[in-house]
């Protein structure tokens, strides 16, 4: 595998009102080579659900707030870019 650089969206400040570009930054991180059993997924789409707005503040909520300076997390749709997992598919009933 050649070097893989990950682009991550980081929350750098909690919004006051509606979120804007100043509340986020893009960081690049060189990924370590995959170990046995690991899979590297290229995210194509990330869900931006309403509950995520509650995670963009540091006040008490039913969800844990996003940490400043850390990548955002949430549901995503992606494709396997590289795999070191040994998966086998089996037919149902066998």
């Amino acid at each position: 595998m050649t070097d893989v650089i990950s682009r991550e969206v980081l929350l750098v400040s909690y919004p006051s009102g509606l979120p804007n570009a100043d509340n986020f930054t893009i960081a690049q991180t060189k990924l370590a080579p995959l170990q046995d059993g690991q899979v590297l997924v290229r995210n194509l789409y990330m869900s931006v659900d309403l509950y995520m707005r509650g995670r963009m503040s540091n006040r008490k909520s039913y969800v844990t707030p996003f940490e400043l300076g850390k990548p955002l997390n949430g549901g995503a749709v992606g494709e396997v870019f590289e795999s070191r997992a040994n998966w086998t598919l089996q037919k149902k009933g066998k």
Side-chain angles (χ1 to χ4, degrees):
M1 173 180 104
T2 59
D3 290 345
V4 175
I5 305 297
S6 171
R7 287 180 291 163
E8 305 167 337
V9 178
L10 309 180
L11 184 67
V12 293
S13 63
Y14 294 117
S16 176
L18 291 176
N20 62 56
D22 293 337
N23 299 120
F24 304 92
T25 192
I26 304 291
Q28 294 188 9
T29 303
K30 182 179 172 183
L31 299 180
L34 290 182
Q35 302 298 311
D36 288 340
Q38 291 184 321
V39 176
L40 178 61
V41 175
R42 175 186 291 138
N43 286 342
L44 303 173
Y45 302 96
M46 182 173 174
S47 176
V48 184
D49 297 304
L50 289 176
Y51 94 98
M52 293 175 84
R53 181 63 179 98
R55 297 190 68 192
M56 287 188 215
S57 70
N58 198 20
R59 60 183 168 211
K60 189 170 178 129
S61 174
Y62 68 96
V63 292
T64 305
F66 289 125
E67 290 184 58
L68 295 180
K70 301 286 184 178
L72 296 178
N73 59 36
V77 174
E79 62 185 358
V80 174
F81 180 74
E82 183 180 349
S83 175
R84 298 259 334 248
N86 187 11
W87 295 345
T88 57
L89 300 177
Q90 295 180 345
K91 290 184 180 180
K92 222 175 186 177
K94 287 195 170 193

